[in-house]
Structures are given as structure tokens and as C-alpha cells.
């Protein structure tokens, strides 16, 4: 329907139909099987690929007995994911002697909340606390994944960020305020096996790489200066040295 406008032109009016939100809606579908014309192509999820020469990957039987200084003593970032789920105790971290592989840089270590005081005590003479990162654990349905704890259920995992303190410490490139301190991600088992514990979000790799750009792969050195301890089987990222316990 059209009505004359103020300048002599015709304005079209469209009659709106009121729809009852509680009214049943019927949809007709063709008989099975559905024709291909009803389908939309789904693109595969993009995965990051890295040159195998840009990272180091080692599998060991017992991480606590590995000779880490043999890898180098100039790492700027050390990322540790202890197997707390298997009864691992904080005191066992002393066997790693992480202070021998990083003279200037940061230590990122996953810690169960009940062990936070123990970890800070273990490293108090070699590292200083500077920050923490929280992973809010979610189920596939975006509900909190809660584990049992002494007082309150655990619906998060914590990464303590510690800075190396020593007479040999030098300035290193550090980018601040590039990443948030909280990650929301769904839970999945490491390597698809429950006995290996929860797989940590890949966002942590990205956070560390962003914070420490100077630790990236260096052609002259033949490696980067990022070290992961207790990594996932088959992991390989540019600039990283991955130590995996079988």
C-alpha cells in the first residue's frame, strides 16, 4: 500500500504481522536422506605447523632425573606442568634445579592451590613472585568443572609466574599488558588419557611467547630459549624445547 508523502512522492507502507512467541512453528524437511543442497561445507580447523628444525623434543622416563643443563643455561622462559594428579609432591621439584638453566627470565609453573605456600618457599632464594595466571575450568556445556578440595571445590587452575633473581641476572625483553591473567577453556585429558591429567590450554604457550619475544627461535643459536617440562606427547612449537615424560 502506498500513501502520498509531504513532497508529492509516494511512500510505501508494509503491514507488519504480529507473531505470538508461544505459537508452535512447523518446519517441513525432505525425506531422508537429506539432499546435498541442504548441506553447508564446514572448513577444517586450522592448525599451527612448525619447522621441525625450530624446536627440540625429547621423551624421558623420569623428568626429575633428566640433566637439564645439558640443554643450555640461557633459557628465558621455563614452563612447568608437574603431574600433581599422580601424587607428585612439591619437594620433588627441587630435583629439577631449574635455577641452573635460567639466569635471567621467568618461571611459569602450574600449582594446585593447596601447594602455593610450598612452591613459594622452595623458590624463595632463587625466584621472586611477580604474577599469576588463572584457568577457569569448564565442561563442554560451559559449566564449571569442579574438583574436590579441603574447603572449597576447585574450579580453577593456577600458574605462578616467578622471576629469576641472581647476581648473573641481566635485563631481558619483556612485553607487559599484552595478555589477560585469566583463561576460560574447556577441560580435556592429556593425550586423551585420564591418567595423564588435564591438558592445559594452548593460550599459555601464546601468553609466554608474547611476554618473552626475545626467547623466540634464533637461527644462529639453533634453538629458542623457551623450555617446557612435562609437556604433551608430540608437542612441537617454534622456539621451544619440550621435555615429555612417558
Amino acid at each position: 500500500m502506498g500513501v502520498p508523502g509531504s513532497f508529492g512522492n509516494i511512500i510505501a507502507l508494509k503491514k507488519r504481522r504480529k507473531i505470538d512467541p508461544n505459537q508452535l512453528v512447523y518446519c517441513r524437511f525432505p525425506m531422508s536422506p537429506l539432499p546435498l543442497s541442504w548441506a553447508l561445507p564446514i572448513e577444517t580447523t586450522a592448525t599451527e605447523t612448525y619447522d621441525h628444525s625450530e624446536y627440540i623434543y625429547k621423551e624421558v622416563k623420569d623428568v626429575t632425573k633428566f640433566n637439564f643443563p645439558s640443554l643450555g643455561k640461557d633459557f628465558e622462559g621455563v614452563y612447568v606442568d608437574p603431574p600433581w594428579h599422580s601424587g607428585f609432591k612439591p619437594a620433588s621439584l627441587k630435583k629439577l634445579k631449574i635455577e641452573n638453566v635460567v639466569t635471567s627470565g621467568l618461571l611459569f609453573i602450574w600449582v594446585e592451590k593447596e601447594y602455593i605456600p610450598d612452591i613459594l618457599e622452595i623458590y624463595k632464594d632463587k625466584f621472586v613472585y611477580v604474577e599469576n595466571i588463572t584457568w577457569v575450568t569448564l565442561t563442554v556445556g560451559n559449566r564449571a568443572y569442579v574438583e574436590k578440595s579441603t574447603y572449597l571445590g576447585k574450579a580453577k587452575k593456577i600458574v605462578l609466574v616467578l622471576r629469576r633473581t641472581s647476581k648473573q641476572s641481566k635485563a631481558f625483553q619483556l612485553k607487559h599488558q599484552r595478555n589477560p591473567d585469566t583463561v576460560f577453556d574447556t577441560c580435556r585429558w592429556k593425550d586423551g588419557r585420564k591418567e595423564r591429567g588435564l591438558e592445559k590450554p594452548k593460550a599459555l604457550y601464546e601468553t609466554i611467547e608474547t611476554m618473552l619475544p626475545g626467547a623466540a627461535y634464533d637461527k644462529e643459536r639453533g634453538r629458542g630459549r623457551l623450555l617446557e617440562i612435562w609437556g604433551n606427547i608430540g608437542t612441537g612449537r617454534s622456539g621451544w624445547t619440550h621435555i615429555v615424560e612417558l
Side-chain angles (χ1 to χ4, degrees):
M1 181 179 69
V3 297
S6 58
F7 295 98
N9 53 336
I10 301 298
I11 300 175
L13 298 179
K14 185 176 181 181
K15 186 177 180 180
R16 293 187 176 181
R17 180 184 175 186
K18 293 184 179 180
I19 300 177
D20 182 358
N22 298 317
Q23 183 180 0
L24 293 176
V25 178
Y26 296 92
C27 296
R28 291 185 178 181
F29 293 91
M31 297 294 290
S32 181
L34 294 177
L36 290 176
S37 59
W38 278 61
L40 293 175
I42 300 176
E43 296 183 1
T44 57
T45 304
T47 56
E48 296 175 294
T49 56
Y50 303 98
D51 186 337
H52 286 247
S53 64
E54 294 186 0
Y55 67 84
I56 298 172
Y57 177 87
K58 291 182 178 291
E59 295 179 346
V60 299
K61 291 184 177 179
D62 188 346
V63 162
T64 62
K65 295 180 181 179
F66 184 75
N67 180 19
F68 286 99
S70 66
L71 301 172
K73 300 181 180 180
D74 60 347
F75 288 97
E76 281 191 0
V78 180
Y79 179 40
V80 186
D81 183 15
W84 302 116
H85 64 281
S86 63
F88 188 84
K89 298 300 181 183
S92 296
L93 289 170
K94 296 178 182 179
K95 299 177 183 179
L96 302 181
K97 297 182 179 181
I98 295 174
E99 64 275 9
N100 293 337
V101 298
V102 51
T103 55
S104 303
L106 300 176
L107 167 62
F108 302 81
I109 180 167
W110 286 98
V111 182
E112 297 295 331
K113 63 181 182 179
E114 60 268 29
Y115 292 145
I116 291 177
D118 301 277
I119 299 302
L120 295 177
E121 178 66 22
I122 288 171
Y123 291 114
K124 67 178 183 179
D125 296 327
K126 304 173 181 65
F127 294 86
V128 59
Y129 168 85
V130 294
E131 184 59 277
N132 70 82
I133 303 170
T134 299
W135 168 29
V136 178
T137 52
L138 302 173
T139 65
V140 176
N142 280 335
R143 293 188 176 185
Y145 176 79
V146 183
E147 295 178 311
K148 292 183 179 180
S149 184
T150 305
Y151 296 101
L152 300 174
K154 290 190 287 187
K156 66 179 184 294
K157 299 293 182 182
I158 300 169
V159 175
L160 293 182
V161 184
L162 311 178
R163 183 166 183 158
R164 181 74 167 100
T165 56
S166 72
K167 294 181 179 179
Q168 293 76 33
S169 292
K170 299 178 181 179
F172 58 94
Q173 189 177 1
L174 178 62
K175 287 190 175 181
H176 300 269
Q177 307 297 329
R178 300 302 200 280
N179 300 89
D181 63 358
T182 304
V183 176
F184 295 84
D185 200 0
T186 53
C187 298
R188 56 188 66 84
W189 301 115
K190 259 189 178 183
D191 311 312
R193 294 155 55 188
K194 187 175 181 178
E195 65 271 18
R196 290 185 66 83
L198 290 175
E199 179 180 334
K200 304 308 188 294
K202 290 185 178 180
L204 266 295
Y205 289 116
E206 298 163 1
T207 295
I208 296 170
E209 291 164 358
T210 301
M211 290 181 68
L212 300 171
Y217 175 76
D218 184 281
K219 288 184 178 180
E220 294 184 3
R221 187 179 289 107
R223 63 171 175 83
R225 290 188 289 171
L226 297 172
L227 171 64
E228 179 183 27
I229 303 176
W230 280 296
N232 293 336
I233 295 175
T235 303
R237 293 180 69 91
S238 177
W240 286 82
T241 296
H242 305 278
I243 305 300
V244 178
E245 185 174 86
L246 298 179

